[in-house]
Structure formats: C-alpha cells, structure tokens
Amino acid sequence: MAGANATRAATGEDAGGGTNAPTPTIRLDISDAVATITLDRPDALNALTVPMKRELLAALRAVARDRGVRAVILTGAGRAFCAGQDLKERLEPDAAPLGVEVRERYNPITQAMRGLPKPIIGAINGVAAGAGASLALACDLRIVAEGASIALAFGRVGLVPDSGATWLLPRLVGAAKAAEIALLGEAVPADEIVRLGLAVKVVPAGSLLEEAGAMAARLAAGAPRALALTKQALNAAWDRGLDAALEYEAHLQDLAGRSADHAEGLDAFMAKRPPRFTGD
Ligand code: T3D
C-alpha cells in the first residue's frame, strides 16, 4: 500500500465483497502519504459498536505498518465526530461486561493511537461525546469545526470517563479544568476547546478537512523517524522527572542523529534546498 492512493474499508480482514460481508463502519483513505480514518455510522452519530471498534483498531494497525503513511487524520462522517459507545448495543443480551469491553476493545484503541509512530490529527467535525471525547483527546493534535464540542458525557449514563480520558485530560488542560469537564459533563464548545489549548484552531465546518489535510501534508513532509521519536519523547515525558527526560532525550537524539534523514537535513540546509526525507 505504501505510496499508493487507496480507499478501503478497514474490516481488518479481506471483506471479500460477498453478499454477507458486513457493512463497513470505518473508512480508510490513503493519499499522498496521509491516511484519513473516518468513523462512518453517521445515522447513529458514529456511535461505537463492537465491529466498529475492531475495524478502527485494524485501521490504526494498518497505518502503523504502512511506511508510505506519514500522518493520519481521524474524523467522523456526517454531523458528529463520535457519540461514544453505542448505547443501544449495550442493551443487547449478549453485551460483554463493561470491564471486559473497556479492557479488550477500548483500551487497545487508545494504546494504538498513543503508540502510533506517526502523528494523528483529530479533525473534530461535530460532537465528540463519551468515548468519542476520549478518541479526540488521544489524538496528537486537534482542529475543531465551528459548532463542534467535546463532552465527557459518561456521567449522564452513570459511567466513569474511560479509554484514557482521566489520564489524558488533566495532562492536557490541568487538574482543575479536567475536574470541571469530567464531573459536570457539560459540552465544551469549539472556541473554548481552542482557548484551553486542546485544539490548534477552530475553522468553518466546510474547510475542516482541507485545513486538517494541509497540516497533515506539512507533517508528512517532515522527517518520519524524528517525528515518531518526538511523539515517543512527549509520551514518555508525561511520566518522568526532568533528569529522566533529559537522559531519554539524549538517547533518542543519539538514534535520530544516526538516521539518513538527519544527514539529508544537514545536506539540504547547506545546499539551501528543501529536504527530501525518506524515514531511513
Ligand atoms: O461499553 C461501554 O459502554 C463502556 C464505554 C462507555 C463509554 C461511553 O462512551 S459512555 C457515553 C455514551 N455516549 C453518550 O452518552 C452520548 C449519547 N448521545 C447524546 O447524548 C446525544 O445523541 C448527542 C448529545 C451526542 C447529540 O444529540 P443530538 O440531539 O444532536 O442527536 P440525537 O437526536 O440525540 O441523536 C441522533 C441519532 O443518533 C439518534 O438516533 P435515532 O433516534 O434518530 O434513530 C440517537 O439515538 C443516535 N445516537 C446518538 N448517540 C448515540 C446514538 N445511538 C447509540 N448510541 C449513542 N451513544
């Protein structure tokens, strides 16, 4: 798939095209080194079902493996980003216990996003509620559309924030604001999301994907390994003191310094030309 422009459903297996093939709920489009993962159940505001979580994880794993993908956009089809867990599915008699659902289906998604060695931009096109808010928070960067919002709506259905929200939110906005957002559960509107530093900017809904695409293209032109190591350093720094962070930076810089991309960056600088990074 590397380098190719492709669109496919992310079922995690060959859909086969047979009449019994399940309707895909995740779209994976790859173009010019940017993968766009679209949550695609617009009639249910992209609420997450078991197959959808499986497909989302498969899509994240596919883009992790694909050397041709250098940046990822996560967005929602229709008017919502994601309304969280599909609450109708929870009422089905064979629904897994919540602890199992979270451990086996949600947590691996958050881990895949935070561990993905490429930057993920959340193009937050509408409401991101419950586990949908957690998905938004697990992105590296966010751009929000006017009218979008983030709501830790878990309390309204008697649940606690999950999928990493209690870990990510305080680190992103501070403990006091995180407590306000998590305990009151009110929707944080787009301009406030930006004011809190949770998103880079708010843009008109019609230009959201264009703006996210421009940011992704900029990232895709960067040195892939350096970006991956930068994400790794930022992830690790959240759990470390200064001395450990300094040592880890030195270790990662040692790795980056041996890369072909570093040599190319120096060469391009001296020649006053744009670098052509390969990820080697
Ligand atoms: O496994 C586990 O359960 C553990 C993990 C839990 C994590 C969680 O995510 S818990 C939190 C779950 N999410 C919510 O509580 C949000 C529920 N949705 C809403 O509060 C509202 O829909 C919104 C505020 C997001 C949007 O409101 P509005 O008025 O714009 O739209 P709507 O009319 O409520 O929804 C439109 C349709 O989407 C509607 O379908 P219908 O009636 O036209 O056939 C609605 O039922 C459906 N929908 C919206 N959210 C969900 C949903 N269907 C299933 N599950 C949903 N979460």
Side-chain angles (χ1 to χ4, degrees), residues 45 47 79 83-88 90 98 101 131 154 162:
L45 305 190
R79 69 182 173 92
Q85 167 63 34
D86 187 308
L87 296 172
K88 295 166 190 166
R90 289 303 316 159
L98 286 175
E101 193 62 32
F154 302 85
D162 63 17

Side-chain angles (χ1 to χ4, degrees), residues 148-227:
S149 59
I150 292 180
L152 264 67
F154 302 85
R156 270 183 254 154
V157 288
L159 294 179
V160 296
D162 63 17
S163 310
T166 62
W167 191 85
L168 292 161
L169 192 62
R171 284 168 170 78
L172 291 169
V173 300
K177 200 70 198 176
E180 181 187 329
I181 293 170
L183 293 173
L184 295 177
E186 282 170 12
V188 183
D191 53 353
E192 175 75 354
I193 292 173
V194 173
R195 206 186 59 74
L196 288 171
L198 268 178
V200 178
K201 56 181 160 179
V202 53
V203 299
S207 51
L208 179 69
L209 287 182
E210 190 184 328
E211 293 271 358
M215 185 183 283
R218 191 170 151 190
L219 290 163
R225 195 157 156 69
L227 287 175

Side-chain angles (χ1 to χ4, degrees), residues 24 30 35 59 61 86 95 101 118 130 138-139 143 160 178 187-189 193 206 225-226 230 232 234 244 274:
I30 300 178
R61 288 182 174 158
D86 187 308
E101 193 62 32
K118 342 198 160 188
C139 294
I143 301 180
V160 296
V188 183
I193 292 173
R225 195 157 156 69
T230 300
Q232 205 173 309
L234 290 170

